[in-house]
Each structure stands twice: as C-alpha cells, then as structure tokens.
Amino acid sequence: TGSSLWKGIFAILTKQSNETDAANIIRYDVHHLMKFDSLRSLGFEEKYMKLGSYFVFAVVRHPFERLVSAFNDKLKHPDEFDGNFFQQKHGTRIIQKYRPKASPKEIMSGKPKFSEFIEYLIDPETVKGTINKIDHHWAQYYKIIHPCIHKFDYIVRFEYFKEDTQYILDSLNLSSIVKFSYKDPVTSKDNLKMHMQQLTKNQIYKLYLAYRFDFDLFGYNFDIRNYI
C-alpha cells in the first residue's frame, strides 16, 4: 500500500532522481527501472541487523478497501504500465475455476467479476496458501510483513497517509530533502459498499475470516451491517 509514492521518496534519497517531489516520479520508473536493495538479497545476520537498527515502518489499509482497489487496478481496469499481465496471470484462472461454463472468450478476457475474485480469495486453498502462492497485492498483511516477528517503529494507516508520511519525514529530518504532493484516495465508502453488495452475506463473512488477523492487528472493525 502506497508503494509507488514511497519508492519515489526512496529514489530521491538514493539520488536516482533529481526530482524534489516524489509524486512527480513516473510510477513505471520506480517499479521497473530504479534499483532498491531488498532484504531478500542479504544474509541472515545482515538482514536482522538492519531490521534492528533501521527505522522500520509499514503502510496498511482497511482490508476490504484494499481488495476493492486491487481488483479495480489489476483486474478490472489495469493501467498502461501493468497492461493485461494480472488479467492473464490471475484473471483467466479465476474465471475458469469460478464461472461455470465460461466460454473461451470469457476466460481469455481475464476480467473476472468481483464476486468471482472474492470466491478465489475465500477458497480454502487460497486462504491456507503461503505468500509464494498468492499475489502480494491481495495477500494478507500478516503473511507479508510478519508483524508478530518484526518490531515496527511506525504503522502508517492509509486513511491518514499524508499526515503519517509527513510525520516520518519530519521525525527523520528528511523534510528538507524530499517533498510529496498527495491527493486523497478516490475509494469511498459508497464505492466499497457498491462492491460488497455484489456478495452474499456468507461470502462477506468468509472474507472477513480470511482477513481477520489483518482486521485485528491493525485496529479495523468489522460489522457486516455496513456492507449489506
């Protein structure tokens, strides 16, 4: 969540960009052209030394809002940078498995219905899968960032993304080096409810159970009456 803007900030801090406003850096560039060190590339001791000495933070979002955003951005209306990658990798398989008697044309479109996407997410095989088996855009947070193992200095909530991001930059004395312009997200409660109303009560409850740890760990409340 918020990775494009934060990678833009990192690009400025690592002098890979001459921009001063992270929001002006092209999304494709930060995800595909610029290089950032990854913990995966480090040995065990160096990895945990950095986790213990660096400022460590994560960005989280309401689980259901995050899933609606991922569905729209990756499967329904992907942007020019992603193209049909996610549709062909994930959408075709979702339609084939969860749409009875789907035609070859429907399968190849790679555009599942929101209810089919949710059926995939609540499938027991998906729920029990590891991070290697589920795309990180909709994998549970606890499978990605392991909050019970790693100590985080700060949790940025998407609802307060502007304020929390500015707080981090201020607290690390980086505000004079990097700026960011930010527009409030377009995902509204009405948009969330519109998508959730396409589901049955049973689907909504199973979806909550699949993401229950994310709700609990990061202080999000679940009330099924908000979605029906």
Side-chain angles (χ1 to χ4, degrees):
T1 301
S3 62
S4 296
L5 180 62
W6 268 106
K7 278 193 172 183
I9 291 174
F10 296 151
I12 295 172
L13 296 178
T14 55
K15 302 186 185 307
Q16 296 186 69
S17 173
N18 293 323
E19 285 283 354
T20 56
D21 187 336
N24 292 336
I25 302 177
I26 298 173
R27 176 175 170 269
Y28 179 86
D29 291 350
V30 297
H31 287 291
H32 299 286
L33 300 182
M34 297 176 180
K35 303 298 181 183
F36 304 98
D37 291 337
S38 169
L39 286 176
R40 294 189 187 95
S41 65
L42 304 177
F44 180 85
E45 291 185 1
E46 187 178 3
K47 180 186 299 183
Y48 280 90
M49 180 277 290
K50 290 182 181 294
L51 284 171
S53 59
Y54 278 42
F55 184 91
V56 183
F57 69 96
V59 186
V60 300
R61 186 177 190 176
H62 186 287
F64 288 173
E65 285 191 9
R66 176 174 172 245
L67 295 177
V68 168
S69 177
F71 171 76
N72 287 326
D73 292 346
K74 304 303 179 185
L75 296 172
K76 188 176 181 180
H77 300 299
D79 62 28
E80 59 180 314
F81 299 130
D82 290 330
N84 64 355
F85 173 80
F86 290 93
Q87 292 172 333
Q88 295 306 307
K89 183 177 181 180
H90 301 287
T92 53
R93 292 190 295 109
I94 291 173
I95 296 171
Q96 190 171 29
K97 185 171 183 179
Y98 302 102
R99 186 182 302 177
K101 300 180 180 179
S103 68
K105 183 178 180 180
E106 289 176 318
I107 295 172
M108 289 307 298
S109 75
K111 294 184 176 182
K113 299 175 183 176
F114 183 67
S115 58
E116 293 166 344
F117 175 60
I118 298 304
E119 276 298 312
Y120 161 68
L121 294 179
I122 64 178
D123 189 311
E125 289 297 316
T126 305
V127 174
K128 71 180 183 181
T130 65
I131 187 60
N132 295 323
K133 294 183 178 180
I134 182 171
D135 191 274
H136 67 273
H137 290 95
W138 43 79
Q140 292 89 338
Y141 281 131
Y142 76 87
K143 291 182 178 180
I144 302 173
I145 63 175
H146 306 291
C148 295
I149 298 175
H150 304 306
K151 179 182 181 299
F152 287 88
D153 296 293
Y154 201 83
I155 298 294
V156 175
R157 289 172 64 100
F158 194 74
E159 299 82 4
Y160 306 102
F161 188 84
K162 181 179 180 181
E163 295 85 352
D164 285 350
T165 299
Q166 191 62 57
Y167 170 81
I168 291 176
L169 295 177
D170 290 343
S171 64
L172 299 177
N173 298 317
L174 298 173
S175 299
S176 62
I177 302 173
V178 59
K179 310 291 183 184
F180 71 98
S181 54
Y182 180 72
K183 294 182 179 179
D184 291 331
V186 297
T187 301
S188 65
K189 293 187 182 300
D190 289 340
N191 187 39
L192 173 62
K193 189 170 184 177
M194 178 188 71
H195 282 79
M196 300 303 289
Q197 286 179 334
Q198 300 173 35
L199 309 176
T200 65
K201 287 184 180 180
N202 189 48
Q203 285 176 315
I204 296 173
Y205 187 65
K206 284 185 176 180
L207 187 64
Y208 163 68
L209 292 180
Y211 289 81
R212 178 181 57 188
F213 290 143
D214 285 355
F215 275 90
D216 292 345
L217 285 167
F218 302 112
Y220 290 104
N221 297 318
F222 171 77
D223 187 338
I224 198 168
R225 293 172 296 181
N226 292 331
Y227 309 111
I228 58 177

